[in-house]
Every structure is written in C-alpha cells, then in structure tokens.
Amino acid sequence: MSTTLQEQIASPERGVKKNYLNADHTIASWLLTTDHKRIAVLYLVSISIMFFIGSIAAAFVRFELTSPYGQWLTSEQYNKMFTAHGVVMIFFFLIPSVPAVLGNFVLPMAIGARDLAFPRLNLLSWYFFVIAAVLMLATLAMGGIDTGWTFYTPLSSLYSDTQVTMALVAAFIAGFSSIFTGLNFVATVHKMRAPGMTWFRMPLFVWGSYATSLVILLGTPVVAITLLLVLFERVFKIGIFSPELGGDPVLFQHMFWFYSHPAVYIMILPAMGVVSELFACFSRRRVFGYEFVAFSSLGIASLGFLVWGHHMFLSSQSVFQGVVFSLLSFMVAIPSAVKAFNWTVTLYKGSVHLTTPMIYALAFLGLFLIGGLTGLYLASMDTDVHLTGTYFIVAHFHYVMVGGGILGFLGGLHFWWPKMFGRMYSEFWGRLSALIVFVGFNFTFFPQFMLGYLGMPRRYHLYAFAPEWQFYNVLSTAGATVLGVGFLLPAFYLTASLVKGKKAGPNPWGAKGLEWENADSPPITENFERIPIVTGQVYDYDAEEDSRLIRAELDDHERRDKAHLPGEH
Amino acid sequence: MNLFRGLPIYPEPASENALRYDLLFWTITLLSFFFFVLVGGLALYFVAKYRSGSNVVRSNPMDHHTGLEILWSGIPILLALAVFAWSTNNFVNHQRRMPKDALEVFVIGKRWMWHLQHMNGIRENNELHVPVGTPVKMTMISQDVIHAMYLPDFRAQFHVVPGRYTELHFTPTKVGRFKMLCAMHCGTKHSEMVGFVHVMEKAEFARWLENGGNRNIPVALDMKERGAQVWAEKNCGNCHGDSDNVRGPSLAGLMGSKRQMTDGTTVLADRTYVRDSITAPWRQITQGYRAEMPEYSNLTEPDILALTAFIESLTKPSGEAPADALSPRDKTRPLTSADDNVTDIANKYGKPVVGQQQLGGSRK
C-alpha cells in the first residue's frame, strides 16, 4: 500500500499538527459538522449516556429480583423498569453502537474515502437519534411504558395505559436515524472505495458493516410501519391487531419479528466484523478463509430475514410454518459457526498479542459460542416449547447481544481509541476491566439459563410461589454488580487517557489497513493528505517476522540484564 | 454445603412428555458442550502456544483451506438436520397432536387470572384438578391480551390468544401440585397470574368430581346445558333449525364438517370457526346464504364456550352421530335420540334451572 504518511508528518503547521479534533473548537463546529469522525464522536457520547440510563434500569430490575416478594418496587414500576432497560438498550445503544460509532469513524478511512457518501445525511441521522432519544427519555420521565420492548398487541394498542404512544413515536424516529446510516454505508462502499480497493481487499469490518446496512435498509421500514399501525390502532381505534376491533394480534408478531429478528444481526454482524479485525491484527495473520468469512456475513444477513417465525412457534401460527422456520433457523447457525471456526484457526501459527482489544475478542468468541449454541434449543421447536418466554431466552439473547454485541463494541473501541483520539489508555486497567466484564457477565447470565430451564418466566416481578429460584437470582444480581464495575471502569481510564495518555502515533498496534498506515492519529479532517492507492492484499501480516523481532528484542533485554547484574553486586 | 441443599437443577419431570423432552434437551446440551470445549479449548491452546515471541514454528501458515471449510460447515449441517428432525418429530407428533380421548378442560385467560372450566360445569380459578395418567386437553382463549399457558413441570406451553381457540395437552404422571404460569407479559400483575395444577389419584379425582369440586355447592349446569340455555335465550333456533331453511343453515352435525363459503373457499368448522360465526358472522358466509345474522359479540367468553359445546353436541336428527362430536366424558351419559333434536334440547334446558341438577356423581 502506498503511503502519504511522510508528507503528513513532514508538514507540521505552526507547531501543532492539525487534525479533525483541533481543526475548530467552537460548539457550532461540532453541532454542524459533516465530518464522519466528529459525528462518530457525537454518537459515542450520546450512546454512552443512553447506555448508562439503560444500565440504571437494569440495576433496579436485578436488585428487585433478589427477593421473591418484590420488596422495593411495585409491579407497575418493575414492569416500567425492564421496559425502559430493553427499549433504551436496543433502540438507543445496541443498534447504533458499532455502526454509528465505529462504522462512522472507521468505514470511510478503511476503504480510503474522505468521508461518507452523504455527509449531511449522516449529521441528520445523529439529529434524528438525539430527537428520538430525548423523546424516549421524556416518555420515561412522564411515567414510562410497561409493555416490554416488544410492544405486543393488543396489550400495547388497547390495554396499556402508560405512555406507549410517545414511545412508539420515539422508536419510529430512531428507525430513520439507522436507515440514514445504512443508506450512507451502502452508497459509500459501492462508490467511494480508493483506487485498488477491490471488494476482496476490503477489511472484514467493512464487509460486516455492509451486510448490516443491507439489513437495516430492508428491515427498518417494516418495523416503522408496524409501530405506526400500532399507533393508529391505539389513537384512532382502527382495528389492525386487536380482535375486538376486527384485527389479528398474531399479525403484529409477524411484522414485528420480520424486523426485530434481523435486528439481532444488526447488533451482532458489525461486532463480528470488528472481531475479525482484532483476530487478524493481534495474531499477525490474515483472517483464515477470508472469503468464507466475508460471504458468511452476507449469508447471515439474507438468511436472517427468513427466520422470524421462530419467535412464534407457540403463537398459533400453523405447525407447517413452524417446521419451515425451524429448519431455516438451524441453517442460519451455519455461517456463524463458520466464522467461529475461522477465527480460531486464525490464531494457529500466529503471533498472538494479548492486548486489551484481543482479550475482548477472545471473550467475545467464548460468549458468542455459548450464545449461538443455546440458540439451537430455541431453533428446535420441541425444546423451544418449555424455554420460550422464560429466563432461558433472556440469558440467550444477552449472551448474543451483550456477550457478542457489546464486547465487540468495546473491543473495537479499545482498538480504534488511539486512532480516534491519538492517545493510549492504560493497558493494565484495560485488561483488568476486560476480565472483570467477562467474569461478571458469566455470573450474571449463566444462572439465568438455569432459571429458564427450571421454568421461571421472563418479566416476572414476584416469584413467591417458587422461592427455590432465589439462589440463582441472587447469584445473577451479584454477577451484575461485578459486570457493572467492569462497564464503568473504561469510562474512567479512557477519559483519563485523553489528558494523560501517551501519544499513540499513527500505528501503535502495528496494524495493517489504510486507517493505520496512511493516516495520522487523530486523522486530519480529510482523513488522508492524498487518496491512497491500494496495491497489496488485505491483512498483509507476517507472524513469523513479528515473532522473530519480538524474540530478538527479548533476548536483547535478557542479555543486557545479565551484563548489568554482576556490576550491581 | 447447606446453601446448596435442595437447590434445583432441573424441573420435575411430571408428564409423559417430560422425559421425551429432557432426552432431547440434554442431547443438545451435550452437543453444545462438545463444540464449546472444542472451539474454546483450541483457541486457548493456540493463544498459549503462539504467544508472540514464543519459540515455535510459524513457517508456511495457511490462509485458507476449502476442504476444511466444507468439513466444518458440513458436520454442523448434518448435526443440525438430525436435531431438527428429532425435535420436529417430537413437536408435530407429540406436543401438537391432540389426543382423541382426552379429558377436556376449557381455559379462559384474563388479566390477571386463569379461569378453568370442566365439561361437567365445575369451574375453577387459578387451580386445576386432574387425574393422574389421563390425557388432558385444554382449549384456551383469552378475554383480553395475549397470555401463555405454561406448565413447566409438564414441559407444555402454548399461547392463549384473544379471538381464537388454541389447544394444549399433557398427561400427568405424578401426583402432586405443579405450577401453572402465564409466560407472556400481560401487564401490571403478570407475575401474579399464577396457579397450580393438582394432579390426583383417579379415585380421588372421581370423588372430587362428585363433590362438585369439594365446594359443597351443587354445580348448576354442565357446559352443554348452559350452552342450551344461551341458545334459548338468544333464540338461535329461530333461524338454525333441524334442517337448513331459508334463514339459516342447520347446525346439526356442523362441528368437524367442511363448509362451502360464498367466496368459494372451503372451511373446516372447528371451534374457532363457530366462535367467529357467532361474534363476527359477516366474515364468512355459508354458500347459499346472505350476511343476515347479527353479531353476538357481547356474549361472554364462558357463554360462547358453552354455546360452542352445545352446538358441538348437535347431530343430524336422522343420521348417526359422529363419534367425535361428543367428548368422552359425556358419552357416559349419552344424549337420547330426543336430545338430538335441536328444538327439544332447547326446550328442555331453556328454562332457568337452578340447583336441582344432577351432580357430576350421577354420571360418574
């Protein structure tokens, strides 16, 4: 790959190098920016706030469940808490997390573009996100909603007397925010790749983001329409989903899951892309079976649209429908398995650096394995009968969405943090918090598999009729406390790194890729001085050479230490 | 160790289906465990062996290997297909195939309780008494939002939907008290929509039935009798007579038959069809008739269930009664040929009957 780095370094203007962060300091320059990097930072701040709010709600839920008798909240408050947790985390954290923060920042640079295809649309996307988020927080402040994030009819349309209408509007607007991002990514990947950046030279993170964008574009409009129909039924009493008004309650589930199952892939596919980058960089190897991993993303994206009915095996859809959905659900597991195998084999003959991002990637692999394998119980119709609607489901999707989605996000954030802000964070705290997250996560959610198998339904406030479930609930809450600490730590050491962190330099990880090799950290507003021309393969690592250098360095140290020892005595 | 005493690790297997279910569950668990250890173990092994700077051979690394890709896609596909076949067979042929000779129980879910009704008229709330070793079939409907009847110890669950009947069955194998939960979020007191199934010895259950459910209150009417009452109150017989007439088709022998609709479709007349024809008759019109029937959507769910049970018992006056039209418990007291006549039954039960009905005991 050609480099223009020398030119960038060679042209320091007035002592301080210009980059996208110090290009302008006014508030307006941030709020009216069309720079994809600045929008990524705006998104990072916004979703971090939402993550914090969603976590508080989760803390209330977990705290309340330590007692079978529900001692602190009323059932109504409890229902509002878990709904707030679900709605905020899914619509306002998980869905935008990797695409809108890491994707926004990295994707244009990774393919050698100066910005996304539609920079102003990108900014509009963030404004839609903020409007939706503020509206949702207002909804919560005005009393909240108690329907669960799934908004099942007719509970949401005719029975709940909470602020459902406003919440639906907020979710509707949030949908447009992600549609804009998806649209931007698709256009950018198709039209703005640098010379020489062929499809099969694209990093797997770009492939993952591209597949995700297709899912967003095709799926989100459907859920937007669905939520609007619920709104119409609720406000104007037009019978669509309510049998009392002549509607069909199961129709809602079809329409809702047509988006919301693919939405799981919106959360996990880009995280898988991130993890591919991490495995390649920190094993110093090309990702094993690059083409298979790339196509598995598209496979998951397209098959993911055909499996929504597995949420509805017991909904009174026909048995035949169930059989078809079950078969397709088993099939969608295959591309995920392919990814897991390929990542593992990437380590083989690699030169593995156990840095913070790599620990997140390995943790991702472990948790995603459990999340994926427990999906088999739910794709299989018979085992689903006893487990659907229980804590088994809760544990399963947290393993996928937190163990997969959030760990992928954190891994990526730690990986690209030096690129984003030009500073290194404390490796010690980074590794420690990654381990705390991993341990805390398992203590939180593994007991919930047990609870589900024992028959504890999800969204239960009281379980006085089954006090034998308390042990697992207390264990889960204890784990959640540890997990909370693990999530809170990065807020401190990452923030501290902005001030005290040592300068990262353009490529602190020795990573391959245009954003590392051809741009400064933090990059200039235009990303590159000159558009790079790509001449080599992607992931052009050499593990043998890397390890040889490190060994030589170690030997060097050893020799020097030995030479010094006699003198010190 | 005291902490762990009595700590449950699996739900009690208390139905015929439970062992069949658990076998599949633990098989998948074993498979999952194997793959988790394989991939996770391999990853850790590689990480340890190929730590940067470790003195191992790294020459000639492979970037791809199509054979390997086919192998590790192929084996999971085959295993997935095997699990799929096994599970689908269980689901289709056991979970969802309703037994023919089951004890029928009618369930109405409403926020936030379970209302259950036996064929002979005994009603229960959040409690269900059934005999051990007998297949039980639930016909369920919701009065408001979607609920889910969940019987963890029987490994049985199905949604309870407003506007349509759904079914579920189980055969209890253990005497005792088992949880009966709502597993679909239904609003504020969702977690209090909880009850118990009391599985009793057969003889004990018979005694329980005789006592009218140990309540010492005589059961007024069984379901068909109540249905006949509704039939008379609403004057259904005005239009639906012993045979088809110009106003409406006869309902004798309706249940389970195929009906030709005006829009050319053929519909199987099941309970949901009958219910729809009562609450929204304009939706599906039998061929040869016009949309004249008013909708009776103000009937309560229990009354609709009773009316449906009554309509189910109507057989063609001259022809033979279809064997399935009556539930087995009621066969012990077969309707006389006079009973088969729609008008007669309505006349017989149409008057208010209070307190002088035979209890369950007289028909065992």
Side-chain angles (χ1 to χ4, degrees):
Chain A
M1 291 177 191
S2 87
T3 174
T4 54
L5 196 60
Q6 272 71 30
E7 298 166 37
Q8 280 187 40
I9 296 168
S11 59
E13 292 162 25
R14 295 185 301 279
V16 182
K17 271 188 291 178
K18 279 281 175 200
N19 60 46
Y20 81 101
L21 288 171
N22 64 16
D24 200 337
H25 290 286
T26 60
I27 289 176
S29 76
W30 278 93
L31 294 182
L32 298 176
T33 182
T34 51
D35 181 355
H36 65 102
K37 299 181 290 300
R38 284 195 162 200
I39 294 172
V41 174
L42 290 176
Y43 258 119
L44 176 60
V45 174
S46 341
I47 69 164
S48 301
I49 295 169
M50 295 310 275
F51 180 73
F52 185 72
I53 293 169
S55 304
I56 300 279
F60 273 104
V61 169
R62 281 305 343 153
F63 190 56
E64 185 71 357
L65 286 175
T66 52
S67 159
Y69 308 103
Q71 293 180 338
W72 297 280
L73 302 175
T74 65
S75 288
E76 198 185 337
Q77 288 165 334
Y78 177 83
N79 293 348
K80 286 175 175 176
M81 280 302 165
F82 72 68
T83 306
H85 170 66
V87 167
V88 169
M89 287 301 200
I90 287 172
F91 293 116
F92 297 97
F93 177 74
L94 281 166
I95 289 177
S97 63
V98 180
V101 177
L102 301 177
N104 246 337
F105 194 95
V106 175
L107 186 128
M109 301 185 71
I111 59 170
R114 292 209 188 278
D115 206 320
L116 285 170
F118 311 111
R120 273 171 291 189
L121 193 66
N122 198 18
L123 181 65
L124 189 65
S125 144
W126 180 70
Y127 274 103
F128 269 47
F129 176 85
V130 170
I131 293 169
V134 168
L135 210 54
M136 188 58 84
L137 294 182
T139 309
L140 299 182
M142 285 164 62
I145 27 171
D146 70 346
T147 60
W149 80 277
T150 45
F151 293 112
Y152 265 28
T153 54
L155 177 64
S156 63
S157 60
L158 293 189
Y159 285 88
S160 174
D161 52 5
T162 52
Q163 304 290 343
V164 179
T165 310
M166 212 164 139
L168 289 171
V169 174
F172 181 78
I173 297 173
F176 279 93
S177 148
S178 63
I179 290 174
F180 292 160
T181 303
L183 190 69
N184 237 329
F185 284 7
V186 171
T188 309
V189 169
H190 271 276
K191 303 302 289 181
M192 296 178 65
R193 281 170 287 128
M197 177 58 82
T198 62
W199 282 88
F200 289 103
R201 284 178 183 172
M202 291 197 316
L204 287 164
F205 175 61
V206 178
W207 273 104
S209 300
Y210 176 72
T212 309
S213 305
L214 292 179
V215 178
I216 290 176
L217 278 183
L218 296 172
T220 317
V222 178
V223 81
I225 294 165
T226 313
L227 297 181
L228 214 56
L229 289 176
V230 176
L231 195 86
F232 282 176
E233 180 164 285
R234 192 175 165 84
V235 178
F236 304 116
K237 301 286 177 282
I238 298 171
I240 297 155
F241 301 122
S242 249
E244 303 161 44
L245 303 174
D248 183 341
V250 179
L251 174 67
F252 171 82
Q253 295 171 37
H254 280 292
M255 294 178 73
F256 179 79
W257 289 116
F258 181 83
Y259 164 76
S260 292
H261 189 77
V264 176
Y265 299 114
I266 295 178
M267 302 171 213
I268 190 76
L269 270 174
M272 288 169 156
V274 170
V275 168
S276 300
E277 299 299 307
L278 301 182
F279 270 98
C281 174
F282 296 107
S283 313
R284 299 289 188 256
R285 291 260 277 121
R286 181 181 162 88
V287 173
F288 191 85
Y290 168 89
E291 283 87 358
F292 283 90
V293 178
F295 278 117
S296 69
S297 289
L298 293 181
I300 290 171
S302 42
L303 270 179
F305 269 110
L306 305 174
V307 300
W308 78 88
H310 68 214
H311 295 263
M312 303 170 58
F313 288 150
L314 307 184
S315 70
S316 78
Q317 75 178 358
S318 78
V319 173
F320 178 73
Q321 264 177 309
V323 173
V324 175
F325 282 126
S326 170
L327 182 63
L328 289 167
S329 304
F330 274 106
M331 290 306 110
V332 81
I334 305 301
S336 307
V338 165
K339 278 182 194 282
F341 290 132
N342 278 302
W343 289 328
T344 307
V345 176
T346 303
L347 298 165
Y348 174 69
K349 289 192 173 177
S351 173
V352 180
H353 297 248
L354 281 177
T355 56
T356 306
M358 188 57 175
I359 293 176
Y360 274 115
L362 290 168
F364 172 100
L365 182 65
L367 301 183
F368 181 71
L369 272 174
I370 296 177
L373 288 166
T374 48
L376 296 179
Y377 297 81
L378 307 169
S380 130
M381 287 194 286
D382 190 48
T383 36
D384 183 67
V385 169
H386 172 66
L387 301 173
T388 189
T390 70
Y391 264 88
F392 194 94
I393 296 277
V394 176
H396 161 71
F397 70 67
H398 278 89
Y399 264 89
V400 174
M401 280 147 61
V402 180
I406 298 188
L407 261 65
F409 173 70
L410 285 174
L413 189 66
H414 283 83
F415 182 50
W416 281 297
W417 184 266
K419 179 55 63 182
M420 294 173 91
F421 299 104
R423 303 273 187 166
M424 297 304 288
Y425 46 85
S426 151
E427 252 315 287
F428 169 78
W429 286 107
R431 289 181 201 185
L432 184 69
S433 78
L435 285 176
I436 292 176
V437 165
F438 182 75
V439 172
F441 180 87
N442 281 302
F443 269 105
T444 311
F445 292 106
F446 205 86
Q448 297 187 6
F449 282 125
M450 304 297 294
L451 281 172
Y453 183 45
L454 289 173
M456 178 166 177
R458 66 192 286 202
R459 296 167 171 175
Y460 258 35
H461 176 215
L462 314 170
Y463 53 99
F465 57 90
E468 70 268 23
W469 294 340
Q470 188 177 15
F471 175 81
Y472 294 109
N473 273 304
V474 171
L475 195 62
S476 176
T477 304
T481 315
V482 177
L483 182 63
V485 172
F487 281 145
L488 215 53
L489 280 177
F492 293 107
Y493 66 78
L494 286 182
T495 313
S497 79
L498 295 178
V499 188
K500 296 200 300 187
K502 70 175 198 306
K503 288 254 183 342
N507 193 358
W509 308 117
K512 303 285 179 182
L514 297 180
E515 80 272 29
W516 297 110
E517 294 174 294
N518 294 46
D520 205 356
S521 311
I524 56 171
T525 305
E526 295 80 15
N527 296 347
F528 312 100
E529 292 281 329
R530 217 182 306 139
I531 292 290
I533 296 168
V534 184
T535 53
Q537 287 302 317
V538 66
Y539 304 129
D540 193 15
Y541 291 106
D542 188 343
E544 206 178 2
E545 176 70 9
D546 180 74
S547 242
R548 202 181 52 75
L549 285 175
I550 285 173
R551 220 168 34 250
E553 209 173 292
L554 285 174
D555 289 350
D556 220 34
H557 275 295
E558 227 166 276
R559 224 173 298 127
R560 232 178 305 151
D561 286 352
K562 272 187 191 145
H564 280 295
L565 277 175
E568 279 164 13
H569 279 287
Chain B
M1 282 314 284
N2 264 346
L3 185 62
F4 298 101
R5 189 174 298 154
L7 192 67
I9 47 171
Y10 58 88
E12 200 165 340
S15 77
E16 201 190 85
N17 193 48
L19 293 174
R20 190 184 298 119
Y21 178 94
D22 286 358
L23 185 63
L24 177 58
F25 180 93
W26 289 107
T27 306
I28 300 180
T29 306
L30 215 63
L31 273 177
S32 305
F33 188 72
F34 170 75
F35 275 102
F36 179 73
V37 170
L38 178 77
V39 179
L42 214 56
L44 287 182
Y45 170 72
F46 285 155
V47 167
K49 184 168 179 192
Y50 296 105
R51 264 313 277 281
S52 60
S54 67
N55 193 7
V56 287
V57 181
R58 291 188 171 82
S59 54
N60 302 323
M62 266 189 308
D63 272 348
H64 62 278
H65 191 290
T66 310
L68 213 50
E69 300 281 352
I70 291 171
L71 186 74
W72 66 40
S73 324
I75 291 174
I77 287 181
L78 292 180
L79 286 173
L81 285 178
V83 172
F84 164 76
W86 181 352
S87 149
T88 304
N89 179 49
N90 273 6
F91 184 77
V92 175
N93 293 326
H94 297 289
Q95 283 276 11
R96 295 319 298 163
R97 177 159 294 167
M98 296 301 140
K100 285 256 183 290
D101 51 351
L103 175 73
E104 284 225 65
V105 176
F106 295 91
V107 178
I108 295 168
K110 49 183 155 183
R111 306 207 298 168
W112 293 276
M113 63 176 288
W114 294 111
H115 179 78
L116 301 107
Q117 200 165 335
H118 294 264
M119 212 45 184
N120 72 349
I122 295 181
R123 293 175 176 207
E124 306 187 69
N125 286 332
N126 290 337
E127 307 249 316
L128 173 65
H129 291 77
V130 289
V132 71
T134 311
V136 178
K137 180 183 146 193
M138 289 178 160
T139 300
M140 312 182 289
I141 193 162
S142 164
Q143 209 169 282
D144 35 53
V145 302
I146 298 176
H147 302 280
M149 170 59 80
Y150 179 34
L151 306 159
D153 301 311
F154 302 147
R155 314 287 189 275
Q157 185 184 169
F158 212 73
H159 289 185
V160 180
V161 184
R164 71 179 65 162
Y165 294 115
T166 57
E167 294 174 334
L168 171 155
H169 77 91
F170 58 92
T171 307
T173 51
K174 283 186 183 169
V175 173
R177 195 181 81 148
F178 303 99
K179 296 177 196 92
M180 174 167 73
L181 313 172
C182 176
M184 173 62 78
H185 180 52
C186 56
T188 311
K189 292 186 180 174
H190 169 49
S191 65
E192 288 162 69
M193 192 162 163
V194 166
F196 292 97
V197 178
H198 300 270
V199 179
M200 311 160 95
E201 294 293 355
K202 280 184 178 163
E204 202 191 338
F205 180 71
R207 271 200 302 281
W208 182 85
L209 272 187
E210 276 176 45
N211 293 338
N214 284 352
R215 278 179 180 78
N216 299 319
I217 308 165
V219 176
L221 299 171
D222 77 14
M223 285 198 49
K224 267 180 296 186
E225 289 161 353
R226 173 61 194 151
Q229 218 175 37
V230 178
W231 176 278
E233 278 166 19
K234 300 292 175 193
N235 275 324
C236 306
N238 259 355
C239 303
H240 299 289
D242 294 345
S243 56
D244 295 351
N245 61 41
V246 68
R247 288 196 201 158
S250 166
L251 304 188
L254 168 75
M255 194 67 81
S257 66
K258 289 255 164 61
R259 309 285 286 180
Q260 287 290 330
M261 298 291 126
T262 44
D263 61 4
T265 54
T266 308
V267 174
L268 175 72
D270 56 8
R271 282 183 174 140
T272 298
Y273 167 79
V274 173
R275 185 185 183 283
D276 279 348
S277 302
I278 296 168
T279 57
W282 36 266
R283 261 199 210 156
Q284 291 168 308
I285 305 296
T286 305
Q287 214 159 47
Y289 295 92
R290 279 176 296 157
E292 284 175 316
M293 180 172 157
E295 55 177 64
Y296 290 85
S297 49
N298 54 348
L299 285 175
T300 62
E301 289 297 344
D303 279 354
I304 297 175
L305 266 175
L307 191 54
T308 309
F310 171 72
I311 291 171
E312 200 167 348
S313 73
L314 300 176
T315 48
K316 289 215 168 78
S318 52
E320 278 110 79
D324 288 342
L326 302 174
S327 95
R329 291 202 52 74
D330 298 284
K331 279 185 202 155
T332 54
R333 187 183 69 101
L335 298 167
T336 61
S337 60
D339 281 344
D340 291 343
N341 182 296
V342 177
T343 338
D344 284 356
I345 298 176
N347 288 342
K348 189 169 164 193
Y349 298 120
K351 290 150 252 150
V353 200
V354 182
Q356 29 85 307
Q357 279 301 309
Q358 324 95 304
L359 303 178
S362 64
R363 55 189 103 120
K364 190 161 182 258

